[in-house]
Amino acid sequence: MQTLGETLRIWRDRLSPVDVGIPSAGGRRALGLRREELASLAGLSVDYVVRLEQGRATTPSPQVVAALARALQLGTCERDHLYRLAGLAPPSPGLVSDFVSPGVQRLLTRLGEIPLGVFRADWTLIRWSPLWAALIGDPAEFPADRNLIRGVFGLTGARALAHWPVVSEYGPDVLDAALVSDLRAAAATYPDDPELAALIADARAGSSRFAELWATGAVGVHIADRKTVQHPVVGPITLDCDVLTVPCADLRIVTYTAPAGSEDAGKLDFLRVVPAALP
């Protein structure tokens, strides 16, 4: 049977750079992804990817395996096989999933020219576009906790995912209520997920606002908003914020867009082409 390292090399070699949003360029010696490209997509160090492929690291965490599966655009059977090669049990269907199907990943790659973030059912950010990072701050700087619930409700030890202020035109109450209602729906869908239960318990104990909203018993989903980002380089930029759902995977895809030709669209274009100007 192939080892974990051998399997990673085979799957890395078969994946086209174009499918993950890397422009095709002449002179590439590797047909598939380079190690550094896989490492960047998975949020890992190149050295760790090398050690995994060489068999010098054999016990990656579930979080690392999940990140590699997303980066390699694996289907569910291959994802589960990767978990088993790492000596781990595949994710249970009764738990909140961070699985993104290959088809959805290709769609996200093609939508990468807009600010876009992908959240699990518990509102943990698992993927984002470069323009998302340029618009509100790079989530890579918050590796310990990328959960929006913890950030919005100011739970102890949590750091907000946004570097710059993001203000809804409807005020904070609407977003707060929508997030809590959506989380309640997730709790009903995944009653046996310990991480989700812990998140809700922490939020009820650590935020009186969350506890108040939770007590109302409302159930719903967060769909759309209009928000202004107070960006330190381009100034205030007002955008339509929409939440697209992927039912089978139970993901929330958050997008920010502006009307073509508008001043706000011009500011997005600036952030897209001049990332070096960012603080």
Side-chain angles (χ1 to χ4, degrees), residues 62-90:
Q63 292 79 11
V64 166
V65 175
L68 286 168
R70 287 196 301 272
L72 291 166
Q73 300 190 0
L74 303 183
T76 53
C77 291
E78 290 180 335
R79 177 204 63 181
D80 291 351
H81 182 62
L82 189 64
Y83 271 84
R84 295 188 183 100
L85 288 177
L88 300 168

Short mmCIF file of all heavy atoms in Angstrom, two decimals, residues 62-90:
data_model
loop_
_atom_site.label_atom_id
_atom_site.label_comp_id
_atom_site.label_asym_id
_atom_site.label_seq_id
_atom_site.Cartn_x
_atom_site.Cartn_y
_atom_site.Cartn_z
N PRO A 62 -5.68 16.27 12.55
CA PRO A 62 -6.88 16.31 11.70
C PRO A 62 -7.02 17.62 10.95
O PRO A 62 -7.48 17.64 9.81
CB PRO A 62 -8.03 16.11 12.70
CG PRO A 62 -7.41 15.38 13.85
CD PRO A 62 -6.01 15.90 13.95
N GLN A 63 -6.61 18.73 11.58
CA GLN A 63 -6.71 20.04 10.92
C GLN A 63 -5.79 20.12 9.71
O GLN A 63 -6.15 20.66 8.67
CB GLN A 63 -6.37 21.15 11.92
CG GLN A 63 -7.39 21.34 13.03
CD GLN A 63 -7.25 20.31 14.15
OE1 GLN A 63 -6.26 19.57 14.21
NE2 GLN A 63 -8.23 20.26 15.03
N VAL A 64 -4.59 19.54 9.84
CA VAL A 64 -3.64 19.54 8.73
C VAL A 64 -4.16 18.67 7.59
O VAL A 64 -4.09 19.05 6.41
CB VAL A 64 -2.25 19.06 9.20
CG1 VAL A 64 -1.35 18.73 8.01
CG2 VAL A 64 -1.60 20.12 10.07
N VAL A 65 -4.68 17.49 7.92
CA VAL A 65 -5.20 16.59 6.88
C VAL A 65 -6.37 17.24 6.16
O VAL A 65 -6.48 17.16 4.93
CB VAL A 65 -5.61 15.24 7.49
CG1 VAL A 65 -6.26 14.35 6.43
CG2 VAL A 65 -4.40 14.53 8.08
N ALA A 66 -7.25 17.91 6.92
CA ALA A 66 -8.39 18.59 6.29
C ALA A 66 -7.90 19.69 5.34
O ALA A 66 -8.44 19.86 4.24
CB ALA A 66 -9.29 19.18 7.36
N ALA A 67 -6.88 20.43 5.76
CA ALA A 67 -6.34 21.50 4.91
C ALA A 67 -5.70 20.93 3.65
O ALA A 67 -5.86 21.48 2.55
CB ALA A 67 -5.32 22.32 5.69
N LEU A 68 -4.98 19.82 3.77
CA LEU A 68 -4.38 19.18 2.61
C LEU A 68 -5.45 18.65 1.65
O LEU A 68 -5.33 18.77 0.43
CB LEU A 68 -3.46 18.04 3.05
CG LEU A 68 -2.12 18.46 3.67
CD1 LEU A 68 -1.45 17.28 4.33
CD2 LEU A 68 -1.21 19.09 2.62
N ALA A 69 -6.51 18.07 2.20
CA ALA A 69 -7.59 17.54 1.37
C ALA A 69 -8.26 18.66 0.57
O ALA A 69 -8.58 18.48 -0.61
CB ALA A 69 -8.62 16.81 2.24
N ARG A 70 -8.47 19.82 1.20
CA ARG A 70 -9.05 20.95 0.48
C ARG A 70 -8.10 21.45 -0.59
O ARG A 70 -8.51 21.72 -1.72
CB ARG A 70 -9.39 22.08 1.46
CG ARG A 70 -10.57 21.84 2.34
CD ARG A 70 -11.06 23.14 2.98
NE ARG A 70 -10.03 23.77 3.78
CZ ARG A 70 -9.82 23.51 5.07
NH1 ARG A 70 -10.56 22.59 5.68
NH2 ARG A 70 -8.88 24.13 5.75
N ALA A 71 -6.82 21.58 -0.24
CA ALA A 71 -5.84 22.10 -1.19
C ALA A 71 -5.69 21.18 -2.39
O ALA A 71 -5.50 21.65 -3.52
CB ALA A 71 -4.50 22.29 -0.50
N LEU A 72 -5.80 19.88 -2.17
CA LEU A 72 -5.65 18.90 -3.25
C LEU A 72 -6.96 18.62 -3.97
O LEU A 72 -7.00 17.81 -4.91
CB LEU A 72 -5.08 17.59 -2.68
CG LEU A 72 -3.63 17.66 -2.20
CD1 LEU A 72 -3.30 16.43 -1.36
CD2 LEU A 72 -2.68 17.77 -3.38
N GLN A 73 -8.05 19.26 -3.53
CA GLN A 73 -9.37 19.12 -4.15
C GLN A 73 -9.81 17.66 -4.21
O GLN A 73 -10.23 17.14 -5.25
CB GLN A 73 -9.37 19.76 -5.55
CG GLN A 73 -9.05 21.25 -5.53
CD GLN A 73 -9.28 21.94 -6.84
OE1 GLN A 73 -9.68 21.32 -7.83
NE2 GLN A 73 -9.05 23.24 -6.89
N LEU A 74 -9.73 17.00 -3.06
CA LEU A 74 -10.09 15.59 -2.98
C LEU A 74 -11.60 15.42 -2.84
O LEU A 74 -12.27 16.23 -2.19
CB LEU A 74 -9.40 14.93 -1.79
CG LEU A 74 -7.88 15.01 -1.74
CD1 LEU A 74 -7.37 14.24 -0.53
CD2 LEU A 74 -7.24 14.50 -3.02
N GLY A 75 -12.12 14.34 -3.42
CA GLY A 75 -13.50 13.94 -3.16
C GLY A 75 -13.58 13.27 -1.81
O GLY A 75 -12.57 13.06 -1.12
N THR A 76 -14.79 12.90 -1.38
CA THR A 76 -14.96 12.35 -0.04
C THR A 76 -14.21 11.03 0.16
O THR A 76 -13.61 10.81 1.21
CB THR A 76 -16.45 12.14 0.28
OG1 THR A 76 -17.06 11.37 -0.77
CG2 THR A 76 -17.17 13.46 0.41
N CYS A 77 -14.21 10.14 -0.83
CA CYS A 77 -13.52 8.85 -0.68
C CYS A 77 -12.02 9.06 -0.54
O CYS A 77 -11.37 8.43 0.32
CB CYS A 77 -13.83 7.93 -1.87
SG CYS A 77 -15.55 7.36 -1.92
N GLU A 78 -11.45 9.92 -1.37
CA GLU A 78 -10.02 10.18 -1.28
C GLU A 78 -9.68 10.92 0.01
O GLU A 78 -8.64 10.66 0.62
CB GLU A 78 -9.56 10.98 -2.50
CG GLU A 78 -9.58 10.16 -3.79
CD GLU A 78 -9.12 10.96 -4.99
OE1 GLU A 78 -9.24 12.20 -4.97
OE2 GLU A 78 -8.64 10.33 -5.95
N ARG A 79 -10.53 11.83 0.40
CA ARG A 79 -10.30 12.52 1.67
C ARG A 79 -10.25 11.54 2.82
O ARG A 79 -9.35 11.57 3.67
CB ARG A 79 -11.40 13.55 1.92
CG ARG A 79 -11.30 14.28 3.25
CD ARG A 79 -12.62 14.81 3.72
NE ARG A 79 -13.59 13.74 3.97
CZ ARG A 79 -14.85 13.94 4.37
NH1 ARG A 79 -15.29 15.18 4.52
NH2 ARG A 79 -15.66 12.93 4.59
N ASP A 80 -11.22 10.62 2.86
CA ASP A 80 -11.26 9.63 3.93
C ASP A 80 -10.03 8.72 3.89
O ASP A 80 -9.48 8.34 4.93
CB ASP A 80 -12.53 8.79 3.84
CG ASP A 80 -13.79 9.60 4.15
OD1 ASP A 80 -13.65 10.76 4.60
OD2 ASP A 80 -14.90 9.08 3.94
N HIS A 81 -9.57 8.39 2.68
CA HIS A 81 -8.36 7.56 2.54
C HIS A 81 -7.15 8.31 3.10
O HIS A 81 -6.29 7.70 3.77
CB HIS A 81 -8.13 7.22 1.07
CG HIS A 81 -6.95 6.34 0.82
ND1 HIS A 81 -6.82 5.07 1.33
CD2 HIS A 81 -5.80 6.58 0.12
CE1 HIS A 81 -5.67 4.54 0.95
NE2 HIS A 81 -5.03 5.44 0.22
N LEU A 82 -7.08 9.62 2.86
CA LEU A 82 -5.97 10.42 3.38
C LEU A 82 -5.97 10.41 4.91
O LEU A 82 -4.91 10.30 5.54
CB LEU A 82 -6.07 11.85 2.85
CG LEU A 82 -4.86 12.76 3.13
CD1 LEU A 82 -3.62 12.23 2.42
CD2 LEU A 82 -5.16 14.19 2.69
N TYR A 83 -7.14 10.52 5.51
CA TYR A 83 -7.24 10.45 6.96
C TYR A 83 -6.71 9.10 7.47
O TYR A 83 -5.95 9.04 8.45
CB TYR A 83 -8.69 10.63 7.41
CG TYR A 83 -9.09 12.07 7.65
CD1 TYR A 83 -9.51 12.88 6.61
CD2 TYR A 83 -9.06 12.63 8.92
CE1 TYR A 83 -9.88 14.20 6.81
CE2 TYR A 83 -9.44 13.94 9.15
CZ TYR A 83 -9.84 14.72 8.08
OH TYR A 83 -10.20 16.03 8.31
N ARG A 84 -7.10 8.03 6.81
CA ARG A 84 -6.68 6.70 7.27
C ARG A 84 -5.18 6.51 7.12
O ARG A 84 -4.54 5.91 7.99
CB ARG A 84 -7.44 5.62 6.50
CG ARG A 84 -8.95 5.62 6.77
CD ARG A 84 -9.65 4.44 6.14
NE ARG A 84 -11.10 4.51 6.36
CZ ARG A 84 -11.96 4.94 5.45
NH1 ARG A 84 -11.53 5.35 4.25
NH2 ARG A 84 -13.24 4.97 5.72
N LEU A 85 -4.59 7.03 6.03
CA LEU A 85 -3.14 6.93 5.86
C LEU A 85 -2.41 7.69 6.97
O LEU A 85 -1.28 7.34 7.33
CB LEU A 85 -2.73 7.50 4.50
CG LEU A 85 -3.08 6.66 3.27
CD1 LEU A 85 -2.66 7.39 2.00
CD2 LEU A 85 -2.41 5.29 3.34
N ALA A 86 -3.05 8.72 7.49
CA ALA A 86 -2.46 9.51 8.58
C ALA A 86 -2.76 8.90 9.94
O ALA A 86 -2.38 9.48 10.97
CB ALA A 86 -2.97 10.94 8.52
N GLY A 87 -3.43 7.75 9.96
CA GLY A 87 -3.76 7.10 11.22
C GLY A 87 -4.91 7.74 11.95
O GLY A 87 -5.04 7.61 13.17
N LEU A 88 -5.79 8.41 11.21
CA LEU A 88 -6.92 9.12 11.81
C LEU A 88 -8.24 8.55 11.30
O LEU A 88 -8.31 8.04 10.18
CB LEU A 88 -6.85 10.61 11.45
CG LEU A 88 -5.60 11.37 11.91
CD1 LEU A 88 -5.55 12.74 11.24
CD2 LEU A 88 -5.61 11.53 13.42
N ALA A 89 -9.27 8.68 12.10
CA ALA A 89 -10.60 8.30 11.66
C ALA A 89 -11.16 9.38 10.75
O ALA A 89 -11.02 10.58 11.06
CB ALA A 89 -11.52 8.10 12.86
N PRO A 90 -11.77 9.03 9.63
CA PRO A 90 -12.39 10.04 8.77
C PRO A 90 -13.48 10.80 9.51
O PRO A 90 -14.05 10.29 10.48
CB PRO A 90 -12.98 9.21 7.61
CG PRO A 90 -12.21 7.93 7.63
CD PRO A 90 -11.89 7.67 9.09
#
